[in-house]
Amino acid sequence: MNDCVCGFTPHRRQAITKDFKDKVMFITGAAHGFGRVIAEEGAKRGMKLALVDIDKPALNETYQIVVATGADAVMIPTDVTKEDEVNAAIDQTLQTFKQIDLLINDAGIALPGRMWELPTRDWEWIMHVNVMSQVYAMKRIIPIMMAQKTHGAILNVASIAGLVDTPGMPAYHASKFASVGMSEATAYDLQRAGADIEMHVMCPGFVQTDLYHTEEHRPKQYSDPSDPYYQSEAFLKGQQFAKYVITNGMPLDTIAATVFKALEEDQFYILTHPQFNPLILDRVNRIVKNGAPDVHMMDGIM
């Protein structure tokens, strides 16, 4: 039997055709943006889908879209900042589909604001969504994939902000650098363990997603409307900046093809904006040449 028919084939770098049919995708952040289009593409390829998100109405929209194609799917409203809810979503997926073959950690938020202005609760929120939700899912699902003894794949959605630094968003950069580093280190550990699990980390630039609506999805535990910061000029300017860069970003419709091509070719780093490559190289050169961040590098960029 051709090994591609059995699922994802590890450690191949050439383009091949993989059969995703009947494989089970567990995807967080499925209600909007990357999550929705990746779920739609998985449905087209015959995958079974566990759709996870905090936004229940929008999650239902994704669910209706994929089941209309004939896909077998379950929607699981979940606050991914809570480990018990992530575990419950995984349990429900296993009860429904009996296995998990592809984990897409897509849930994410963006919070602009300078270090000395951003409230501590915002730091906690962004780290819990952008980093700890990935920890919760991987910590639980990796042993499941190992026990299945079938090929698995994990894709963590980070950002170009996990590879380069810019002013005005230290919390976002901290969370995305953490996601990239965690993905790299986990890839080493999976290889040393002999696990048949691919690791991928996606580092997109600005894309036309729902990300600038982050505030609409803020859970109560991270909310304090009485804090004057949320009426400050700094907060309002940050929201305006986030909306501008997202709404003027790359069209969303290319992302699903990029993701599945990366899965087929076992690409670890998934980059979407080659125009940022010089900034990546500049940062690496600054590190090895004992350089330092220079805000003038951002002129005309941020």
Side-chain angles (χ1 to χ4, degrees):
M1 180 181 293
N2 188 307
D3 56 4
C4 296
V5 175
C6 299
F8 317 112
T9 304
H11 310 306
R12 291 198 176 180
R13 300 299 172 185
Q14 71 273 26
I16 59 176
T17 300
K18 294 185 179 181
D19 189 355
F20 293 87
K21 184 174 174 56
D22 294 328
K23 300 301 177 182
V24 179
M25 177 197 299
F26 182 95
I27 178 167
T28 68
H32 300 279
F34 294 165
R36 178 173 288 181
V37 296
I38 293 170
E40 289 181 41
E41 184 64 24
K44 292 176 184 177
R45 292 170 181 252
M47 299 191 77
K48 300 175 182 179
L49 308 170
L51 307 172
V52 176
D53 202 288
I54 196 172
D55 187 344
K56 187 175 180 179
L59 185 62
N60 184 59
E61 291 177 9
T62 301
Y63 174 78
Q64 296 300 331
I65 290 169
V66 299
V67 297
T69 69
D72 193 356
V74 59
M75 56 174 282
I76 313 173
T78 302
D79 180 350
V80 296
T81 69
K82 298 180 178 179
E83 187 173 14
D84 60 342
E85 291 197 23
V86 174
N87 282 330
I90 294 168
D91 289 340
Q92 185 174 341
T93 302
L94 292 175
Q95 290 166 7
T96 304
F97 298 127
K98 311 305 180 188
Q99 66 188 57
I100 298 173
D101 303 290
L102 173 60
L103 166 61
I104 305 284
N105 273 319
D106 173 62
I109 60 173
L111 295 174
R114 296 185 294 186
M115 171 64 71
W116 58 91
E117 295 172 333
L118 199 65
T120 301
R121 75 180 65 81
D122 283 26
W123 278 89
E124 293 170 344
W125 183 25
I126 199 169
M127 296 303 289
H128 290 165
V129 176
N130 292 2
V131 182
M132 292 310 299
S133 74
Q134 296 185 353
V135 172
Y136 301 150
M138 288 194 295
K139 186 175 184 294
R140 179 77 189 286
I141 288 176
I142 286 173
I144 291 169
M145 288 181 171
M146 288 177 170
Q148 288 171 178
K149 300 188 183 302
T150 57
H151 186 64
I154 298 169
L155 189 155
N156 289 332
V157 177
S159 169
I160 193 67
L163 300 174
V164 299
D165 37 39
T166 60
M169 300 187 72
Y172 189 65
H173 282 289
S175 70
K176 296 304 185 177
F177 268 81
S179 178
V180 171
M182 178 173 63
S183 300
E184 292 173 343
T186 301
Y188 289 134
D189 288 338
L190 289 171
Q191 292 168 31
R192 280 195 169 175
D196 190 10
I197 302 173
E198 297 172 13
M199 277 298 305
H200 309 263
V201 62
M202 185 174 176
C203 297
F206 301 123
V207 182
Q208 294 172 10
T209 67
D210 184 67
L211 197 57
Y212 67 93
H213 287 130
T214 288
E215 286 297 325
E216 296 177 12
H217 313 302
R218 183 186 286 261
K220 290 182 179 178
Q221 66 265 32
Y222 304 106
S223 179
D224 182 5
S226 67
D227 189 323
Y229 171 74
Y230 303 112
Q231 285 77 46
S232 69
E233 182 179 0
F235 175 77
L236 295 176
K237 283 186 175 180
Q239 297 301 303
Q240 292 167 358
F241 172 75
K243 181 177 181 179
Y244 174 80
V245 296
I246 294 299
T247 56
N248 287 278
M250 172 190 290
L252 181 61
D253 56 10
T254 63
I255 295 300
T258 297
V259 166
F260 276 87
K261 182 177 186 289
L263 292 172
E264 289 182 343
E265 297 182 355
D266 191 11
Q267 299 172 11
F268 180 80
Y269 299 102
I270 307 172
L271 304 181
T272 62
H273 289 64
Q275 63 265 39
F276 289 122
N277 288 354
L279 288 179
I280 299 173
L281 292 173
D282 174 74
R283 180 174 182 272
V284 173
N285 285 330
R286 281 190 280 115
I287 292 170
V288 299
K289 294 180 180 179
N290 199 27
D294 182 351
V295 74
H296 298 295
M297 283 287 300
M298 297 295 108
D299 291 345
I301 299 174
M302 300 290 289

